[in-house]
Amino acid sequence: MFKLEPRPAPSRVLTLASPLIALAITIFVGVVLFAALGKDPLAGLRMFFVEPLRGGYALSELSLKATPLILIALGLAVCFRANLWNIGAEGQFVMGAIFAGGVAMQATPESGHGFVAAVLAAGVLGGMVWAGIVAFLRDQFHANEILVSLMLVYVAEMTLSYLVYGPWKDPAGYNFPQTITFLDAARVPKLFTGLRLNIGLVLALVSVAAFAIFLFRTYGGFQLQVGGQAPHAARYAGFSSRKALWTALLLSGGMAGLAGALDVAGPQGQLTPYVPMGYGFAAIIVAFVGRLNPIGIVFSSVLMSMFFIGGELAQSRLGLPKAITGVFQGLLLFALLASDTFIHQRLRWVGAK
């Protein structure tokens, strides 16, 4: 029988190259998949890896998709480094959108340009409240954060549906499940005329620098990582596990809530049942492909955005199903896990005794 056993010294080069190996495997399987579906593999790959990069408009849309992925993945990286498995960032994203939407609807024609700051702050608060529920249940009742955070995703989505189908429905919206369109004072400013790209990208890049400093250059970041990697050593050193729990989850929830606020106050401009975009789940893959490093997360977010846009193009131009985006995302994650497994362990044949 075959048995996996740890390698004495895993290759550092292969460890660093693991995401690239996983991408190569994903591309190879994608080619086989396109051929099996009767589509031109080169045309399929062009939809995913060439078209999203062609021209200024395409790059702006790519950046727009990457922004929420960067923000959410940064918060998740903090959680995962602290050995906390926040799987419910999608719910925190939705709740951030709800809080931000509630404030945005209060804008009036007299509201100043600074009103959007209150909208974004409300989004951060909404995400933190939703993640705070997870932290409270884990802290007080030792509830499993994986199950709690995941189940809260569905609660957030049902809350959104209740609001847009009920009390927040636009009375002049021809009975469509949507809120009023937000006024300009509650909308995120755009970076360029004629493009949808907004200041969310600037906030995301500033956040990358801030999280890199926090994780690798501050005492608080050191405490979180030690608590996640060596909890016994952390307790011996006097680090508070409760503080690490609350800090990591509230940071993660706040970043997801900010992403939700930027989405509804930016390209969407109103709340609809279609606010959940899958960013919260995709950001889990982004965080791991980026090696839980803020700089790596930027590159993996761009790659995942290419999958989102490529899936839409493949659906409209090649007639492929919408699920092709999820297939590529799943392939990338499984390929990464497989690469890491065989880099750190070797397959050995053990004969029957």
mmCIF file of all heavy atoms in Angstrom, residues 279-312:
data_model
loop_
_atom_site.group_PDB
_atom_site.id
_atom_site.type_symbol
_atom_site.label_atom_id
_atom_site.label_comp_id
_atom_site.label_asym_id
_atom_site.label_seq_id
_atom_site.Cartn_x
_atom_site.Cartn_y
_atom_site.Cartn_z
ATOM 1 N N TYR A 279 -17.671 36.495 -3.731
ATOM 2 C CA TYR A 279 -16.346 37.026 -3.412
ATOM 3 C C TYR A 279 -15.819 36.450 -2.094
ATOM 4 O O TYR A 279 -14.625 36.181 -1.959
ATOM 5 C CB TYR A 279 -16.382 38.549 -3.307
ATOM 6 C CG TYR A 279 -16.589 39.270 -4.612
ATOM 7 C CD1 TYR A 279 -17.439 40.373 -4.700
ATOM 8 C CD2 TYR A 279 -15.922 38.876 -5.756
ATOM 9 C CE1 TYR A 279 -17.622 41.056 -5.895
ATOM 10 C CE2 TYR A 279 -16.104 39.552 -6.960
ATOM 11 C CZ TYR A 279 -16.958 40.634 -7.023
ATOM 12 O OH TYR A 279 -17.135 41.306 -8.205
ATOM 13 N N GLY A 280 -16.700 36.292 -1.109
ATOM 14 C CA GLY A 280 -16.257 35.811 0.197
ATOM 15 C C GLY A 280 -15.688 34.413 0.148
ATOM 16 O O GLY A 280 -14.712 34.105 0.850
ATOM 17 N N PHE A 281 -16.254 33.553 -0.683
ATOM 18 C CA PHE A 281 -15.737 32.194 -0.817
ATOM 19 C C PHE A 281 -14.500 32.165 -1.710
ATOM 20 O O PHE A 281 -13.533 31.454 -1.426
ATOM 21 C CB PHE A 281 -16.821 31.266 -1.375
ATOM 22 C CG PHE A 281 -18.002 31.107 -0.451
ATOM 23 C CD1 PHE A 281 -19.266 31.493 -0.841
ATOM 24 C CD2 PHE A 281 -17.833 30.566 0.812
ATOM 25 C CE1 PHE A 281 -20.356 31.348 0.007
ATOM 26 C CE2 PHE A 281 -18.909 30.417 1.683
ATOM 27 C CZ PHE A 281 -20.176 30.810 1.276
ATOM 28 N N ALA A 282 -14.515 32.940 -2.801
ATOM 29 C CA ALA A 282 -13.356 32.982 -3.692
ATOM 30 C C ALA A 282 -12.135 33.542 -2.974
ATOM 31 O O ALA A 282 -10.996 33.149 -3.259
ATOM 32 C CB ALA A 282 -13.673 33.831 -4.924
ATOM 33 N N ALA A 283 -12.359 34.462 -2.023
ATOM 34 C CA ALA A 283 -11.234 35.068 -1.304
ATOM 35 C C ALA A 283 -10.492 34.056 -0.440
ATOM 36 O O ALA A 283 -9.316 34.263 -0.110
ATOM 37 C CB ALA A 283 -11.724 36.223 -0.434
ATOM 38 N N ILE A 284 -11.152 32.962 -0.059
ATOM 39 C CA ILE A 284 -10.454 31.897 0.683
ATOM 40 C C ILE A 284 -9.359 31.305 -0.196
ATOM 41 O O ILE A 284 -8.216 31.103 0.245
ATOM 42 C CB ILE A 284 -11.453 30.810 1.123
ATOM 43 C CG1 ILE A 284 -12.501 31.392 2.062
ATOM 44 C CG2 ILE A 284 -10.715 29.645 1.792
ATOM 45 C CD1 ILE A 284 -13.619 30.430 2.417
ATOM 46 N N ILE A 285 -9.700 31.037 -1.464
ATOM 47 C CA ILE A 285 -8.706 30.517 -2.403
ATOM 48 C C ILE A 285 -7.617 31.559 -2.639
ATOM 49 O O ILE A 285 -6.429 31.245 -2.679
ATOM 50 C CB ILE A 285 -9.385 30.126 -3.722
ATOM 51 C CG1 ILE A 285 -10.504 29.121 -3.479
ATOM 52 C CG2 ILE A 285 -8.370 29.564 -4.708
ATOM 53 C CD1 ILE A 285 -11.305 28.761 -4.698
ATOM 54 N N VAL A 286 -8.034 32.818 -2.778
ATOM 55 C CA VAL A 286 -7.077 33.904 -3.004
ATOM 56 C C VAL A 286 -6.062 33.963 -1.868
ATOM 57 O O VAL A 286 -4.855 34.102 -2.101
ATOM 58 C CB VAL A 286 -7.816 35.255 -3.132
ATOM 59 C CG1 VAL A 286 -6.833 36.426 -3.069
ATOM 60 C CG2 VAL A 286 -8.601 35.313 -4.435
ATOM 61 N N ALA A 287 -6.540 33.862 -0.634
ATOM 62 C CA ALA A 287 -5.641 33.956 0.523
ATOM 63 C C ALA A 287 -4.603 32.840 0.515
ATOM 64 O O ALA A 287 -3.413 33.080 0.774
ATOM 65 C CB ALA A 287 -6.453 33.922 1.817
ATOM 66 N N PHE A 288 -5.027 31.623 0.199
ATOM 67 C CA PHE A 288 -4.089 30.499 0.228
ATOM 68 C C PHE A 288 -3.160 30.498 -0.981
ATOM 69 O O PHE A 288 -1.974 30.172 -0.854
ATOM 70 C CB PHE A 288 -4.846 29.175 0.329
ATOM 71 C CG PHE A 288 -5.309 28.870 1.715
ATOM 72 C CD1 PHE A 288 -6.640 28.967 2.061
ATOM 73 C CD2 PHE A 288 -4.406 28.519 2.703
ATOM 74 C CE1 PHE A 288 -7.072 28.706 3.350
ATOM 75 C CE2 PHE A 288 -4.812 28.249 3.998
ATOM 76 C CZ PHE A 288 -6.147 28.344 4.329
ATOM 77 N N VAL A 289 -3.673 30.852 -2.157
ATOM 78 C CA VAL A 289 -2.797 30.943 -3.326
ATOM 79 C C VAL A 289 -1.766 32.047 -3.110
ATOM 80 O O VAL A 289 -0.608 31.922 -3.534
ATOM 81 C CB VAL A 289 -3.618 31.206 -4.600
ATOM 82 C CG1 VAL A 289 -2.705 31.484 -5.798
ATOM 83 C CG2 VAL A 289 -4.511 30.013 -4.915
ATOM 84 N N GLY A 290 -2.152 33.108 -2.415
ATOM 85 C CA GLY A 290 -1.229 34.195 -2.087
ATOM 86 C C GLY A 290 -0.363 33.922 -0.888
ATOM 87 O O GLY A 290 0.356 34.807 -0.420
ATOM 88 N N ARG A 291 -0.416 32.692 -0.391
ATOM 89 C CA ARG A 291 0.424 32.262 0.739
ATOM 90 C C ARG A 291 0.204 33.093 1.997
ATOM 91 O O ARG A 291 1.120 33.305 2.788
ATOM 92 C CB ARG A 291 1.909 32.307 0.344
ATOM 93 C CG ARG A 291 2.339 31.190 -0.606
ATOM 94 C CD ARG A 291 2.244 29.883 0.137
ATOM 95 N NE ARG A 291 2.782 28.774 -0.621
ATOM 96 C CZ ARG A 291 2.053 27.749 -1.058
ATOM 97 N NH1 ARG A 291 0.742 27.755 -0.853
ATOM 98 N NH2 ARG A 291 2.595 26.735 -1.671
ATOM 99 N N LEU A 292 -1.014 33.599 2.176
ATOM 100 C CA LEU A 292 -1.373 34.398 3.354
ATOM 101 C C LEU A 292 -0.453 35.603 3.513
ATOM 102 O O LEU A 292 -0.239 36.097 4.622
ATOM 103 C CB LEU A 292 -1.351 33.540 4.627
ATOM 104 C CG LEU A 292 -2.214 32.274 4.610
ATOM 105 C CD1 LEU A 292 -2.154 31.574 5.963
ATOM 106 C CD2 LEU A 292 -3.653 32.570 4.233
ATOM 107 N N ASN A 293 0.085 36.060 2.397
ATOM 108 C CA ASN A 293 0.979 37.215 2.383
ATOM 109 C C ASN A 293 0.299 38.352 1.629
ATOM 110 O O ASN A 293 -0.219 38.138 0.526
ATOM 111 C CB ASN A 293 2.298 36.841 1.700
ATOM 112 C CG ASN A 293 3.313 37.964 1.734
ATOM 113 O OD1 ASN A 293 3.135 38.991 1.098
ATOM 114 N ND2 ASN A 293 4.390 37.757 2.473
ATOM 115 N N PRO A 294 0.260 39.555 2.183
ATOM 116 C CA PRO A 294 -0.458 40.653 1.513
ATOM 117 C C PRO A 294 -0.014 40.897 0.074
ATOM 118 O O PRO A 294 -0.849 41.177 -0.792
ATOM 119 C CB PRO A 294 -0.163 41.855 2.412
ATOM 120 C CG PRO A 294 0.029 41.266 3.772
ATOM 121 C CD PRO A 294 0.730 39.963 3.530
ATOM 122 N N ILE A 295 1.293 40.798 -0.197
ATOM 123 C CA ILE A 295 1.770 41.024 -1.564
ATOM 124 C C ILE A 295 1.306 39.885 -2.474
ATOM 125 O O ILE A 295 0.830 40.110 -3.598
ATOM 126 C CB ILE A 295 3.304 41.138 -1.600
ATOM 127 C CG1 ILE A 295 3.779 42.244 -0.644
ATOM 128 C CG2 ILE A 295 3.770 41.420 -3.024
ATOM 129 C CD1 ILE A 295 3.222 43.605 -0.959
ATOM 130 N N GLY A 296 1.418 38.656 -1.993
ATOM 131 C CA GLY A 296 0.963 37.521 -2.785
ATOM 132 C C GLY A 296 -0.529 37.575 -3.043
ATOM 133 O O GLY A 296 -1.007 37.131 -4.103
ATOM 134 N N ILE A 297 -1.276 38.122 -2.099
ATOM 135 C CA ILE A 297 -2.728 38.224 -2.248
ATOM 136 C C ILE A 297 -3.092 39.137 -3.419
ATOM 137 O O ILE A 297 -4.089 38.895 -4.113
ATOM 138 C CB ILE A 297 -3.357 38.707 -0.927
ATOM 139 C CG1 ILE A 297 -3.415 37.545 0.072
ATOM 140 C CG2 ILE A 297 -4.743 39.303 -1.140
ATOM 141 C CD1 ILE A 297 -3.830 37.933 1.467
ATOM 142 N N VAL A 298 -2.305 40.177 -3.656
ATOM 143 C CA VAL A 298 -2.584 41.069 -4.788
ATOM 144 C C VAL A 298 -2.538 40.294 -6.100
ATOM 145 O O VAL A 298 -3.447 40.377 -6.941
ATOM 146 C CB VAL A 298 -1.574 42.232 -4.825
ATOM 147 C CG1 VAL A 298 -1.762 43.074 -6.088
ATOM 148 C CG2 VAL A 298 -1.725 43.107 -3.585
ATOM 149 N N PHE A 299 -1.488 39.498 -6.294
ATOM 150 C CA PHE A 299 -1.342 38.735 -7.534
ATOM 151 C C PHE A 299 -2.410 37.648 -7.660
ATOM 152 O O PHE A 299 -2.968 37.439 -8.749
ATOM 153 C CB PHE A 299 0.056 38.121 -7.605
ATOM 154 C CG PHE A 299 1.147 39.124 -7.758
ATOM 155 C CD1 PHE A 299 1.930 39.498 -6.671
ATOM 156 C CD2 PHE A 299 1.412 39.722 -8.981
ATOM 157 C CE1 PHE A 299 2.947 40.433 -6.800
ATOM 158 C CE2 PHE A 299 2.424 40.661 -9.134
ATOM 159 C CZ PHE A 299 3.189 41.022 -8.037
ATOM 160 N N SER A 300 -2.705 36.958 -6.567
ATOM 161 C CA SER A 300 -3.720 35.913 -6.643
ATOM 162 C C SER A 300 -5.114 36.510 -6.851
ATOM 163 O O SER A 300 -5.975 35.887 -7.485
ATOM 164 C CB SER A 300 -3.698 35.043 -5.378
ATOM 165 O OG SER A 300 -3.877 35.815 -4.208
ATOM 166 N N SER A 301 -5.346 37.725 -6.350
ATOM 167 C CA SER A 301 -6.634 38.389 -6.579
ATOM 168 C C SER A 301 -6.813 38.725 -8.064
ATOM 169 O O SER A 301 -7.900 38.582 -8.616
ATOM 170 C CB SER A 301 -6.732 39.670 -5.749
ATOM 171 O OG SER A 301 -6.742 39.393 -4.378
ATOM 172 N N VAL A 302 -5.743 39.170 -8.698
ATOM 173 C CA VAL A 302 -5.805 39.457 -10.130
ATOM 174 C C VAL A 302 -6.112 38.180 -10.905
ATOM 175 O O VAL A 302 -6.944 38.174 -11.827
ATOM 176 C CB VAL A 302 -4.479 40.080 -10.614
ATOM 177 C CG1 VAL A 302 -4.458 40.196 -12.134
ATOM 178 C CG2 VAL A 302 -4.276 41.453 -9.978
ATOM 179 N N LEU A 303 -5.457 37.085 -10.536
ATOM 180 C CA LEU A 303 -5.712 35.806 -11.201
ATOM 181 C C LEU A 303 -7.154 35.377 -11.024
ATOM 182 O O LEU A 303 -7.820 34.946 -11.988
ATOM 183 C CB LEU A 303 -4.759 34.744 -10.640
ATOM 184 C CG LEU A 303 -4.951 33.325 -11.172
ATOM 185 C CD1 LEU A 303 -4.709 33.270 -12.672
ATOM 186 C CD2 LEU A 303 -4.022 32.352 -10.442
ATOM 187 N N MET A 304 -7.679 35.478 -9.803
ATOM 188 C CA MET A 304 -9.058 35.070 -9.559
ATOM 189 C C MET A 304 -10.035 35.984 -10.288
ATOM 190 O O MET A 304 -11.082 35.524 -10.773
ATOM 191 C CB MET A 304 -9.339 35.096 -8.054
ATOM 192 C CG MET A 304 -10.624 34.393 -7.638
ATOM 193 S SD MET A 304 -10.668 32.642 -8.064
ATOM 194 C CE MET A 304 -9.280 32.023 -7.106
ATOM 195 N N SER A 305 -9.702 37.256 -10.410
ATOM 196 C CA SER A 305 -10.555 38.178 -11.170
ATOM 197 C C SER A 305 -10.589 37.793 -12.641
ATOM 198 O O SER A 305 -11.636 37.912 -13.305
ATOM 199 C CB SER A 305 -10.031 39.607 -11.025
ATOM 200 O OG SER A 305 -10.004 40.014 -9.674
ATOM 201 N N MET A 306 -9.470 37.326 -13.151
ATOM 202 C CA MET A 306 -9.439 36.847 -14.528
ATOM 203 C C MET A 306 -10.366 35.649 -14.705
ATOM 204 O O MET A 306 -11.014 35.500 -15.748
ATOM 205 C CB MET A 306 -8.004 36.485 -14.925
ATOM 206 C CG MET A 306 -7.076 37.684 -15.008
ATOM 207 S SD MET A 306 -5.324 37.252 -15.168
ATOM 208 C CE MET A 306 -5.316 36.556 -16.811
ATOM 209 N N PHE A 307 -10.446 34.807 -13.683
ATOM 210 C CA PHE A 307 -11.363 33.670 -13.746
ATOM 211 C C PHE A 307 -12.817 34.146 -13.773
ATOM 212 O O PHE A 307 -13.648 33.611 -14.503
ATOM 213 C CB PHE A 307 -11.144 32.744 -12.549
ATOM 214 C CG PHE A 307 -9.888 31.915 -12.635
ATOM 215 C CD1 PHE A 307 -9.471 31.141 -11.564
ATOM 216 C CD2 PHE A 307 -9.112 31.911 -13.782
ATOM 217 C CE1 PHE A 307 -8.326 30.376 -11.632
ATOM 218 C CE2 PHE A 307 -7.951 31.157 -13.864
ATOM 219 C CZ PHE A 307 -7.555 30.388 -12.783
ATOM 220 N N PHE A 308 -13.133 35.159 -12.948
ATOM 221 C CA PHE A 308 -14.497 35.699 -12.925
ATOM 222 C C PHE A 308 -14.871 36.276 -14.296
ATOM 223 O O PHE A 308 -15.918 35.951 -14.857
ATOM 224 C CB PHE A 308 -14.624 36.792 -11.860
ATOM 225 C CG PHE A 308 -14.985 36.284 -10.488
ATOM 226 C CD1 PHE A 308 -14.071 36.315 -9.450
ATOM 227 C CD2 PHE A 308 -16.248 35.780 -10.235
ATOM 228 C CE1 PHE A 308 -14.396 35.852 -8.183
ATOM 229 C CE2 PHE A 308 -16.595 35.314 -8.970
ATOM 230 C CZ PHE A 308 -15.666 35.349 -7.951
ATOM 231 N N ILE A 309 -14.009 37.129 -14.821
ATOM 232 C CA ILE A 309 -14.309 37.780 -16.102
ATOM 233 C C ILE A 309 -14.251 36.768 -17.240
ATOM 234 O O ILE A 309 -15.097 36.770 -18.143
ATOM 235 C CB ILE A 309 -13.326 38.932 -16.348
ATOM 236 C CG1 ILE A 309 -13.539 40.029 -15.300
ATOM 237 C CG2 ILE A 309 -13.498 39.508 -17.753
ATOM 238 C CD1 ILE A 309 -12.549 41.163 -15.374
ATOM 239 N N GLY A 310 -13.261 35.878 -17.195
ATOM 240 C CA GLY A 310 -13.152 34.862 -18.235
ATOM 241 C C GLY A 310 -14.354 33.946 -18.275
ATOM 242 O O GLY A 310 -14.813 33.545 -19.350
ATOM 243 N N GLY A 311 -14.893 33.620 -17.102
ATOM 244 C CA GLY A 311 -16.093 32.788 -17.063
ATOM 245 C C GLY A 311 -17.278 33.472 -17.705
ATOM 246 O O GLY A 311 -18.073 32.837 -18.422
ATOM 247 N N GLU A 312 -17.413 34.779 -17.469
ATOM 248 C CA GLU A 312 -18.512 35.534 -18.089
ATOM 249 C C GLU A 312 -18.347 35.590 -19.605
ATOM 250 O O GLU A 312 -19.316 35.437 -20.359
ATOM 251 C CB GLU A 312 -18.556 36.939 -17.501
ATOM 252 C CG GLU A 312 -18.895 36.977 -16.009
ATOM 253 C CD GLU A 312 -18.709 38.356 -15.404
ATOM 254 O OE1 GLU A 312 -18.262 39.262 -16.152
ATOM 255 O OE2 GLU A 312 -18.994 38.540 -14.203
#
